[in-house]
Amino acid sequence: MNPKRAQFVMVLTAALLAVPACGRLIPNTAPPPGYTPYYPTPAPQPRPPAPGPSAYVAPGSGVIDQRIDSGTLGRVQRATRTLAQCEAELASARVTFSPTPDRVNSATCGLTAAGVLGPDMGTVARMAPGDVTMTCALAAAVSVWRRQSVEPAARELLGSDVVQIDHMGVYACRAVNNGRPNIRPSAHSRAAALDFSGVRLRDGRRITVAGDWNDGGPEAAFLRRIRDDACKIFGTTLSPDYNAQHHDHLHLEAESGRLCR
């Protein structure tokens, strides 16, 4: 055999014999008693945020569809405590409400948690003027009043359906009673009050606070009924019985407070 070829065969044989020897270096024994393998501690994972209260209100179960009683004001205030909950109440009752951005017009005038109140798809009566800007809380209170007081009272006392609810406006940067600027700002400066002036009926009649409050007939009874009901829904309700400034409208204010006159 060629000497170089013989040397190559010897080296290769030695390498092959060494391979199984390496396997025998790993002990084939069980771990000693008490032995605990080491595993790295996993990094802590952030805890998911707790789910907030649901803003969903099942159709027909919200505050707008509940009859007026001594607890209505409290229910309305709780249901409108947050904008999300208020919007859910309106949506559940099929009341159209389109939120608007908050804005500041002056140190005492601006909009917070407000929007445009559109048609109530659960009723036939429409606001005039329509698409009026107001706080969501006021929109909810007005919706309760419209469904649970104004419309049923008209059917009971006047024998006709309300097709239109007339008002003098909501949002106005002014002081109370249209006073000087240094007097306390009106709730109108926060779009939190509606001035109701009257209704139009399906049979063509128009009922107004200015013309019918003191007439002593069913029209006056209707207006006083819906004023009394408003006192259970709104924080502040002012009528011609309050002062001369309110001779032609009901001031309906959806803010904290307790004044009914």
Side-chain angles (χ1 to χ4, degrees), residues 29-37:
T29 58
Y35 171 77
T36 302

Side-chain angles (χ1 to χ4, degrees), residues 101-112 171 173:
D102 292 354
R103 74 170 184 255
V104 176
N105 289 348
S106 71
T108 59
C109 186
L111 297 176
T112 302
Y171 185 49
C173 295

Side-chain angles (χ1 to χ4, degrees), residues 23-39:
R24 289 192 294 272
L25 294 177
I26 302 175
N28 187 18
T29 58
Y35 171 77
T36 302
Y38 169 76
Y39 296 103

Side-chain angles (χ1 to χ4, degrees), residues 35-62:
Y35 171 77
T36 302
Y38 169 76
Y39 296 103
T41 303
Q45 298 298 314
R47 178 178 298 179
S54 173
Y56 172 75
V57 178
S61 66

